[in-house]
Amino acid sequence: DIQITQSPSTLSASLGDRVTITCRASQSISSWLAWFQQKPGQAPKLLIYKASSLESGVPSRFSGSGSGTEFTLTISSLQPDDFATYYCQQYDSYSWTFGQGTKVEIK
Amino acid sequence: EVQVVESGGGLVQPGGSLRLSCAASGFIFSSHWMDWVRQAPGKGLVWVSRIKSDGSNTNYADSVKGRFTISRDNAKNTLYLQMNSLRVEDTAVYYCVRETAVAGLDYWGQGTLVTVSS
């Protein structure tokens, strides 16, 4: 099975900060990686698919990059609504796997 | 509007069984693979199972293989998860998720809580 390592597990940042979260796959997954945002008590929300494609309705301050085994999610200027937990997920093989999650907290 | 609504969660004893349902609307259900993803209290997301649009192919996480069965009724636009031999570690919110070929897991239900406890 493909393993996904996500870092950091927690990130403290201020409003307006540029934030970067990283995911590393145990083998190449081409561009088959998605990013989700989850707030307490809510279902996950798709932000980015195929590594860099922005889901409809998602603010342009969110961007994704990478291919193969290294991927990043960047929030260009952190807004109050962005404090949440973020997960990456690979969908290359028939068995999907998620990263461990990154909680973005207020500094 | 795309909607997926889970039901069937509840409290069950270890070794017991439960069947979850997911009612889909707002899209052509029979054209999409569908998935179940779970999240234990305070923990991360874990993929559980997926089923092809026509029901002819299924995949399972190792942790549930042989105990859980995913199925669907395209005439009723409904997805199911039959869970047998339940363990305490199966306690989680179970999400029903629509899958697309390019975007992956794009629409999630609000989840149904399964608690396995004596």
Side-chain angles (χ1 to χ4, degrees):
Chain A
D1 288 2
I2 298 173
Q3 307 303 315
I4 299 289
T5 302
Q6 184 175 343
S7 62
S9 56
T10 307
L11 190 159
S12 296
S14 302
L15 292 176
D17 282 355
R18 182 182 181 88
V19 166
T20 299
I21 300 168
T22 299
C23 279
R24 181 175 291 114
S26 59
Q27 64 190 69
S28 177
I29 56 171
S30 185
S31 295
W32 300 113
L33 187 106
W35 291 95
F36 298 89
Q37 177 193 68
Q38 188 179 33
K39 297 179 180 178
Q42 296 184 17
K45 173 188 172 185
L46 177 65
L47 299 176
I48 303 283
Y49 62 91
K50 214 173 177 199
S52 60
S53 296
L54 193 68
E55 174 72 343
S56 176
V58 174
S60 58
R61 63 181 180 272
F62 291 93
S63 64
S65 64
S67 66
T69 62
E70 296 276 339
F71 302 87
T72 59
L73 172 71
T74 300
I75 308 173
S76 60
S77 177
L78 201 62
Q79 300 300 301
D81 193 47
D82 301 338
F83 292 98
T85 300
Y86 293 84
Y87 295 92
C88 60
Q89 177 244 336
Q90 69 80 18
Y91 54 113
D92 177 69
S93 70
Y94 68 91
S95 174
W96 308 154
T97 43
F98 289 87
Q100 297 83 358
T102 296
K103 186 175 183 180
V104 177
E105 299 179 327
I106 301 172
K107 183 185 280 186
Chain B
E1 179 193 5
V2 173
Q3 278 199 315
V4 289
V5 180
E6 306 91 340
S7 61
L11 175 63
V12 60
Q13 292 189 336
S17 297
L18 209 57
R19 188 176 85 155
L20 305 183
S21 299
C22 169
S25 60
F27 66 99
I28 303 174
F29 181 71
S30 60
S31 295
H32 289 266
W33 285 72
M34 295 293 294
D35 293 61
W36 290 98
V37 175
R38 70 184 182 184
Q39 186 170 36
K43 302 296 185 182
L45 301 169
V46 176
W47 172 79
V48 173
S49 182
R50 62 195 288 256
I51 185 168
K52 193 177 178 179
S53 52
D54 63 359
S56 63
N57 193 6
T58 58
N59 304 123
Y60 296 93
D62 287 345
S63 59
V64 307
K65 205 171 292 183
R67 300 187 300 123
F68 289 12
T69 302
I70 190 171
S71 62
R72 64 193 297 161
D73 185 337
N74 284 347
K76 295 183 177 179
N77 287 350
T78 303
L79 176 72
Y80 302 101
L81 186 67
Q82 177 66 44
M83 303 185 294
N84 298 331
S85 303
L86 282 161
R87 305 167 180 168
V88 170
E89 55 265 35
D90 294 319
T91 294
V93 173
Y94 285 73
Y95 294 102
C96 169
V97 193
R98 188 182 82 164
E99 184 185 317
T100 64
V102 175
L105 304 175
D106 66 345
Y107 277 94
W108 296 60
Q110 285 305 302
T112 187
L113 176 62
V114 172
T115 303
V116 184
S117 173
S118 55

